[in-house]
Amino acid sequence: MAHTARGRDDKNEYFDPPEELEKKVDILAALVKKSKHFIVFTGAGISTSTGIPDFRSGMDTKLETGPGKWELQAHSKPRSAAHKTTTTLKAIPSPTHMLLVKLHQEGILKYVISQNTDGLHRRSGIPKSAIWELHGNNNMERCKKCGHEYLRDFKCSRSKMKHLTGRNCDNPKCGGTLRDTIINFGESLPDDELEGSFEQAALADLCVAFGSSLTVTPAADIPEEVGKRKKNPGNLVIVNLQTTPLDGVASLRIFAKCDDVSEMLAKKLSVEIPSFHLHRLAEVYRLIAIQ
């Protein structure tokens, strides 16, 4: 996917000076406090602090994970051992992930719409009822027959299986084949996720886009819906180091790392970012001995 690397100017990174950043987060906090339907739209930039590289950061990026995946491919370069990276299975949700969990628990954040497939939103504690994962989840497989979903602690996709994972539904009355939920390039986004996301955008009076280049459509059309809406206009806030095509319709543009903004925002909202604790669901079966 080297052709998706961005142009030179688009890859420049900008950092708001401390005083300006402080003022901008004050404005963001005020918007959050007065919002009635607050949603968040997330991209790969929300996960770089966990050690997962993004796709489009330039060769001279300030991120510890180093250049984006497609940027390295475009330059035919391997990832340097000096870059601090990990796998999606070993990554721990970031302070931004955990702030979103807290804001949802407090009833402040209504919905998360994510382009990410790393599964960190669900792992952090965002319930299924409060998230649309537009491009799927590496750890999720779904029964083709009955629709039941299985959230795993391993990657479900198999590149040569055309979305089939090689497993079957546990329900003895079903037994249908399981498929991964990943949406590859060239494939259409699932109707339910796309329609549900636009419904949330229509309701939102505030949408904060964290760590997204906002270049991939139709996903990027969702935050744009909030920023460009004429009737009952909403506020679009973009938090990203690079410029985006939607900067012109944003009410507030913040150039800073997602975690820096989240930690400042938490203090201004008087909420504590919770620590991440891994929870596993175990099914216990009781064996009854037959005498």
Side-chain angles (χ1 to χ4, degrees):
M1 294 295 175
H3 63 281
T4 60
R6 306 182 74 189
R8 183 185 300 272
D9 292 341
D10 295 330
K11 291 177 289 191
N12 290 335
E13 294 177 350
Y14 303 92
F15 293 84
D16 287 326
E19 289 186 5
E20 184 176 353
L21 179 59
E22 190 78 33
K23 292 178 181 178
K24 287 184 175 181
V25 181
D26 279 335
I27 296 172
L28 174 56
L31 290 173
V32 171
K33 288 177 181 178
K34 76 173 186 179
S35 67
K36 302 298 183 183
H37 198 94
F38 167 35
I39 67 172
V40 162
F41 182 90
T42 65
I46 195 179
S47 297
T48 52
S49 67
T50 74
I52 301 174
D54 63 15
F55 297 95
R56 295 179 172 84
S57 289
M59 295 301 291
D60 58 351
T61 181
K62 302 300 183 184
L63 298 177
E64 292 184 343
T65 46
K69 177 180 179 181
W70 295 331
E71 182 72 4
L72 288 174
Q73 289 180 3
H75 287 81
S76 300
K77 297 284 188 180
R79 188 168 299 282
S80 169
H83 297 144
K84 297 180 180 180
T85 64
T86 189
T87 66
T88 57
L89 294 179
K90 293 181 179 179
I92 301 299
S94 70
T96 304
H97 286 100
M98 299 311 301
L99 174 62
L100 299 185
V101 172
K102 180 64 174 179
L103 293 180
H104 179 262
Q105 291 173 343
E106 295 293 324
I108 299 170
L109 174 63
K110 306 304 182 186
Y111 228 91
V112 174
I113 300 166
S114 184
Q115 297 172 284
N116 298 341
T117 63
D118 54 35
L120 288 179
H121 281 303
R122 293 293 301 274
R123 198 178 307 166
S124 68
I126 293 291
K128 177 185 174 182
S129 60
I131 184 171
W132 289 119
E133 294 176 297
L134 294 172
H135 297 150
N137 184 324
N138 278 326
N139 308 122
M140 180 78 71
E141 54 187 340
R142 181 182 295 120
C143 178
K144 185 178 180 181
K145 186 176 179 181
C146 72
H148 186 72
E149 293 182 342
Y150 297 84
L151 189 59
R152 310 294 195 184
D153 59 1
F154 54 82
K155 282 189 175 182
C156 297
S157 59
R158 295 186 179 185
S159 59
K160 297 181 180 180
M161 295 287 285
K162 295 183 178 179
H163 291 295
L164 297 178
T165 66
R167 289 174 289 274
N168 293 87
C169 184
D170 290 342
N171 187 341
K173 295 182 179 180
C174 177
T177 56
L178 300 184
R179 295 169 57 89
D180 69 47
T181 57
I182 296 301
I183 306 300
N184 298 312
F185 276 90
E187 296 179 336
S188 299
L189 297 186
D191 291 338
D192 288 348
E193 280 78 357
L194 194 58
E195 291 174 6
S197 295
F198 276 108
E199 288 175 0
Q200 288 298 317
L203 293 170
D205 55 6
L206 173 62
C207 174
V208 178
F210 276 110
S212 175
S213 64
L214 300 174
T215 57
V216 178
T217 57
D221 296 335
I222 296 162
E224 184 178 30
E225 163 73 17
V226 180
K228 293 183 69 173
R229 193 169 61 227
K230 301 297 184 182
K231 186 178 181 181
N232 299 321
N235 289 293
L236 172 62
V237 178
I238 300 174
V239 181
N240 200 55
L241 294 179
Q242 299 171 339
T243 59
T244 83
L246 299 188
D247 287 0
V249 299
S251 304
L252 179 63
R253 187 61 180 86
I254 301 177
F255 291 96
K257 293 181 179 180
C258 295
D259 288 349
D260 291 343
V261 173
S262 295
E263 289 169 352
M264 293 173 67
L265 179 60
K267 291 181 180 178
K268 295 178 186 297
L269 295 177
S270 299
V271 299
E272 184 175 350
I273 298 177
S275 299
F276 170 70
H277 297 285
L278 180 63
H279 298 281
R280 294 186 182 275
L281 177 65
E283 294 184 354
V284 179
Y285 297 88
R286 183 173 61 180
L287 298 179
I288 301 176
I290 300 177
Q291 301 296 331

